[in-house]
Amino acid sequence: MSWKKDEDSDELGALLNLDHSSVLQEARVFNKTPIRPRQSRLILAKILFLLYRGDSIPTEDATNLFFSITKLFQCKDMSLRQMVYLTIKELSTISEDVIMVTSSLMKDMQPNSEITYRANAIRALCKIVDPSMLPGIERLIKSAIVEKSPSIASAALVSSVHLSNDAKDVVRRWGNEANEALNGKALSMGSSFFGSGSAQNKQVVSTSNIVQYHAIGLLYAIRQHDRMAVLKLVQTFSGQNKGGGWMSGPSPKLRSNMAYVMLIRYAVRVMESDSSLLPQLYALLEEWMSHSSDMVSLEAARAVCQLRDVSSGPLTRAVSVLQMFLGSPRATARFAAIRTLNALARTHPEAVQPCNVDMESLITDKNRSVATFAITTLLKTGNEASVDRLMKQMQGFMAEISDEFKIIIAEAVRSLCRKFPSKHSLFLGFLSGILRDEGGYDFKRAAIEGIIDLAKNVPECKEPALAHLCEFIEDCEFTKLSVRVLYFLGEEGPQTAKPTMYIRHIYNRVVLENAVVRAAAVNALAKFGASSLADPALQKSVRVLLKRCLDDRDDEVRDRAAWALRIMNDERAKDKYVRDDSTFALVVLERRLVEYCADPNASLKGRFSFEGVPRISRAQEEESRNQARLESMDAALTGTTISAPTSNRAAGAGGLDSSEAPGTPTTGRASGFMDVFEQQAQYASQLNAIPEIAAFGDQPLVSSLKPVELTEAETEYVVRCIKHVYNGHIVFQFDITNTIPEQVLEQVEVAMEPDEDIEGVLEPVVVVPVPELKYDQPGTAYVAFAHTDPETFPSVSFACTLKFIVKECDPDTGEPEEGDEGFDDEYSLEAADLGAGDFMQATYIPDSHALWESLGEDGEAIETFALANFDSIEECITNVAELLGMCPLEGALKPKSKAAHQAVFTGKWMGRTKAVARTRMTYQKGAGVTMELAVRSEDQGVSELVVAAIA
């Protein structure tokens, strides 16, 4: 159908000016006879446009419209019927009594219906049906899964994946049908689970490979909490499961490249969690990197690059595969390869360096996205000599790329500022230049943050950087960026040689800008006046400017000006409100405020107290933001997150991600202090819900950074231990998962017996059992000890035994059988160790060198260790970090040399006493690792305890 330009614009304008009341009036035509297919299709299209645009339709109107549309089922027009299915799905979420249309949809799902009818009816019905009604249509869906038609089979499989979120027990019974669809088998209507038929064993190969892709997604949704089942799935289709057994028939083979991609992702998830399977995983990925499909090869290479602690051999092979794709004639393959190398270059720049020559040729690529990634990757892997040339080439096409890629370039230059500080003038010129270009808020913010980083980290660059920022706010269209720059000027401007130069630019904002910017400018002026470096003449000038602000038309600006004038005459107030560099840990503060507001007895306890909220320095807060920024950039560049087909609830210890079981906060990396605060705040909210433990204190002083597994992941009961240290108490938290579907456990608790006499030091006081533990629903038990001798910090091992009552249950419902009283049983666990590292809070402390010097030799303890059982420095430093329980600083866990390494760790003993540890290691083949450990703290006894943790 052809359109003239003016007709096209008229149609678009008509759509943009639609409102739901006029469309509802038009929809009355659905009630007329005979049905007009073309007119009805256009009205349905308008309804969908309104819904997709985000317009809200009242529930009553949506319900009336829904039932008017159902009358269109009387028409046999194919195009109209497809629009009816689509509109019904969208209206089902805002209408009432939508179940009434089930009979019409089930009629279209019958085997004798048109193929188009059946596929669309399945999708619509699965969106509408209530989980309790699912058994009534189970037969139809199972029949559709093994249907010969690819469109019907795919519709049933995809709908099953969506249904598994709410009805996993029912969908779990469809595994056999999903296996048959995956293997390319199709059953006729008379198959074995609906009756007998002569064609039940007939094998039909699907003409569309997309069915395999959807089938493997459904199988994973069904079995994702069963590690061994997913492992067998991977082995079966990778050719490693020669004996069959889990799937019948000859060795199946995947014909869908997209199914191979999903299989690679599932293989990485299930195998990376078990280090014993890594060699097998490397072999699989090596095979898949040689696959005939570019899609599969790229995904396998990408998976290797994203593996944690990947060895050099597989990484070199993956980089070689990606290097080959850099010369591909297809832009998509080049983009995928350079994008993966760009993310890898941040963590393993040396591994990407062999590709530098190939990436040089991509700088002039016609696809500017590829060229952008090529330049930013070269900046990460290149040396100081190549920076000038690459920066000039970048300036040539900045105007030709989108803001998204401009942000990537700005972030890359920002990272280079610390790597090559001698090139600060080049970087500053580039960043200030792109500030003058057209661009959105995110792009401008990235450039601003890069200039601020330069000013902070390169002293020679501070004043030129401040000058560029002053120039920027003179014509800035983004209020948030103006506030950010004014805050930075207030922090750094008073320390410069000519602070009056910046005061002029700041006061211009008071005169010319909106109220938000004016308030920020008043704060900046106050910092100039309160600075210890300000002379009387400067303070007098600031007072004059602040007094003028008292006549501002905005209340906030006037209040801030009055506050600033008052504190300028009070030295104590200046120290407390202006010069103090600390701030509250916002994660903890937020949780405390939420808990206070939710407490019905809060008013009886008095005002909210800030005493229990830890304070951190601005430098620590900035470091946390930088870390979050780098992680988010990596996620954006690599897309590392794999969304499970079912709910986001973790699998527990019996599933694929046992490290993220419910009830346990995500630990993240131990390198950031904000991770520690957030983790402790999450633990505290759980512990405070138990009255016996809440009496120990508002929050534990120290909590384990990483849970300790007390069982293997494949055992009947999976248990892991987390330790919490209070001031006077130690709490052991046991996260327990029952992996036997036929059993329900009651009164589940852990008995702990020390391997040595701890009387007078630790006394058991509280045991909190799990009342009931059903299949695949993790529960938490607690055992608490009173720390009766605060001067002694014991290193002791506890023999642990899981005790419980076992009752038989129905696997489908999870309910115990009536009259079954159960029987007592117990299960032996691995020992739980308590050591010096459990009393140390892994806390990032900036400027560790200055802290080391300030602590001096009075609080120092030094010891040399011969660690012959380690085969590499990397293995040794990882174990040392776990034993010390401290925060490894940048580069501590990634030795650059195999022969020698130095690392620095920081932390707080019992959350209070600062400590710094320095290690020097050398490795000799046959002799192992020789390590010198030096610890300094504010307490000599603490230093000796930390050193003793290694011994």
Side-chain angles (χ1 to χ4, degrees), residues 13 49 129 223 305 321 375 399 423 486 525 531 536 561 579 757 760 831 833 848 885 891 903 923 944:
F49 179 82
V129 71
R223 305 177 186 275
C305 294
V321 172
I375 285 185
K423 296 288 184 180
L486 287 169
L525 288 173
S531 172
R579 298 170 184 167
D757 184 17
D833 299 324
S848 60
Y923 172 74
E944 294 174 354

Side-chain angles (χ1 to χ4, degrees), residues 32-334:
K32 296 181 180 180
T33 54
I35 295 173
R36 302 172 183 175
R38 186 178 184 279
Q39 184 181 6
S40 299
R41 286 201 309 270
L42 290 174
I43 297 173
L44 290 175
K46 292 179 181 180
I47 295 171
L48 289 172
F49 179 82
L50 289 175
L51 293 172
Y52 293 155
R53 193 173 65 180
D55 289 20
S56 60
I57 300 178
T59 302
E60 184 178 354
D61 292 343
T63 303
N64 294 333
L65 181 60
F66 182 88
F67 286 103
S68 297
I69 293 172
T70 58
K71 296 180 182 179
L72 298 178
F73 277 103
Q74 301 173 23
C75 181
K76 300 299 182 183
D77 184 85
M78 187 74 70
S79 300
L80 176 60
R81 184 67 63 89
Q82 288 180 311
M83 291 294 292
V84 168
Y85 290 132
L86 188 58
T87 311
I88 282 177
K89 283 201 303 179
E90 299 302 325
L91 287 174
S92 63
T93 57
I94 57 177
S95 304
E96 296 178 344
D97 301 324
V98 294
I99 281 304
M100 303 297 291
V101 79
T102 302
S103 59
S104 298
L105 294 173
M106 290 182 66
K107 180 180 178 181
D108 285 350
M109 286 175 61
Q110 298 301 321
N112 57 352
S113 299
E114 291 283 345
I115 290 178
T116 306
Y117 285 5
R118 288 188 66 188
N120 287 285
I122 289 169
R123 292 190 179 94
L125 184 60
C126 291
K127 183 72 176 292
I128 292 172
V129 71
D130 186 83
S132 61
M133 299 178 60
L134 196 55
I137 63 170
E138 182 177 4
R139 179 183 63 84
L140 294 173
I141 296 179
K142 290 167 76 173
S143 176
I145 289 175
V146 294
E147 178 61 46
K148 300 176 183 179
S149 169
S151 61
I152 296 174
S154 289
L157 289 165
V158 173
S159 299
S160 301
V161 171
H162 294 309
L163 288 171
S164 64
N165 291 326
D166 302 316
K168 64 176 182 179
D169 293 331
V170 177
V171 176
R172 189 183 291 125
R173 300 199 292 263
W174 304 346
N176 291 334
E177 288 74 22
N179 283 336
E180 293 178 14
L182 186 60
N183 287 324
K185 299 178 182 178
L187 300 177
S188 67
M189 291 186 299
S191 60
S192 57
F193 23 83
F194 311 123
S196 61
S198 59
Q200 70 180 48
N201 295 321
K202 183 178 180 182
Q203 183 169 344
V204 178
V205 178
S206 172
T207 57
S208 174
N209 296 331
I210 196 66
V211 174
Q212 285 193 324
Y213 171 64
H214 293 147
I216 202 169
L218 177 59
L219 276 176
Y220 180 72
I222 293 172
R223 305 177 186 275
Q224 64 170 323
H225 300 315
D226 187 342
R227 186 192 304 270
M228 295 307 298
V230 178
L231 180 60
K232 289 179 181 177
L233 174 67
V234 173
Q235 290 174 336
T236 298
F237 289 98
S238 62
Q240 293 192 352
N241 194 19
K242 303 297 182 183
W246 187 57
M247 295 183 181
S248 59
S251 298
K253 183 179 180 181
L254 292 178
R255 298 179 300 278
S256 169
N257 292 329
M258 288 188 292
Y260 266 117
V261 168
M262 295 308 297
L263 193 67
I264 291 170
R265 296 183 181 182
Y266 299 153
V268 171
R269 294 194 71 179
V270 71
M271 292 182 177
E272 193 181 16
S273 58
D274 187 348
S275 58
S276 64
L277 295 174
L278 283 178
Q280 186 178 355
L281 174 62
Y282 286 145
L284 283 175
L285 294 176
E286 182 82 18
E287 178 184 346
W288 282 325
M289 280 191 287
S290 304
H291 197 273
S292 57
S293 168
D294 290 353
M295 182 192 302
V296 178
S297 299
L298 283 166
E299 182 63 31
R302 173 178 171 270
V304 171
C305 294
Q306 292 175 0
L307 284 174
R308 294 190 298 267
D309 304 322
V310 60
S311 57
S312 58
L315 188 60
T316 302
R317 169 63 179 150
V319 171
S320 299
V321 172
L322 294 172
Q323 185 177 10
M324 177 184 66
F325 282 108
L326 292 178
S328 171
R330 295 193 302 132
T332 52
R334 297 196 305 274

Side-chain angles (χ1 to χ4, degrees), residues 320-397:
S320 299
V321 172
L322 294 172
Q323 185 177 10
M324 177 184 66
F325 282 108
L326 292 178
S328 171
R330 295 193 302 132
T332 52
R334 297 196 305 274
F335 178 80
I338 192 63
R339 184 172 180 245
T340 304
L341 289 171
N342 184 277
L344 180 64
R346 196 177 76 83
T347 53
H348 297 82
E350 69 285 347
V352 184
Q353 283 178 350
C355 304
N356 281 2
V357 175
D358 299 270
M359 290 187 291
E360 291 271 4
S361 62
L362 294 180
I363 294 177
T364 57
D365 195 282
K366 294 180 180 179
N367 187 312
R368 284 311 187 191
S369 301
V370 175
T372 302
F373 274 120
I375 285 185
T376 52
T377 308
L378 285 168
L379 288 172
K380 296 175 184 178
T381 60
N383 52 34
E384 192 170 357
S386 62
V387 169
D388 296 281
R389 175 173 49 83
L390 293 173
M391 295 292 287
K392 288 180 180 178
Q393 289 178 306
M394 272 199 302
Q395 290 173 339
F397 64 83

Side-chain angles (χ1 to χ4, degrees), residues 530-551:
S531 172
S532 58
L533 301 176
D535 55 53
L538 178 63
Q539 290 181 339
K540 181 179 179 181
S541 300
V542 171
R543 282 194 183 93
V544 171
L545 297 177
L546 290 174
K547 286 179 180 179
R548 293 179 183 176
C549 298
L550 294 175
D551 298 327

Side-chain angles (χ1 to χ4, degrees), residues 487 582-595 608 610 612-618 620-622 624-625 673-682 699:
Y487 170 81
S582 64
T583 183
F584 290 108
L586 295 182
V587 174
V588 182
L589 177 61
E590 180 185 13
R591 284 190 176 273
R592 295 290 176 83
L593 288 171
V594 170
E595 291 169 2
F608 178 81
F610 289 90
V613 181
R615 298 182 71 89
I616 57 176
S617 69
R618 296 287 181 183
Q620 289 175 312
E621 184 182 33
E622 192 69 24
S624 175
R625 289 177 179 173
F673 67 96
M674 288 301 287
D675 290 336
V676 177
F677 287 140
E678 183 173 5
Q679 183 190 64
Q680 286 199 338
Q682 293 180 28
Q699 180 171 320

Side-chain angles (χ1 to χ4, degrees), residues 677-693:
F677 287 140
E678 183 173 5
Q679 183 190 64
Q680 286 199 338
Q682 293 180 28
Y683 282 138
S685 63
Q686 298 170 25
L687 295 168
N688 289 338
I690 304 168
E692 300 93 327
I693 298 177

Side-chain angles (χ1 to χ4, degrees), residues 638-678:
T638 61
T640 53
T641 302
I642 303 175
S643 300
T646 58
S647 65
N648 291 332
R649 184 179 64 84
L656 295 183
D657 290 334
S658 59
S659 61
E660 298 176 7
T664 303
T666 303
T667 57
R669 283 188 277 273
S671 58
F673 67 96
M674 288 301 287
D675 290 336
V676 177
F677 287 140
E678 183 173 5

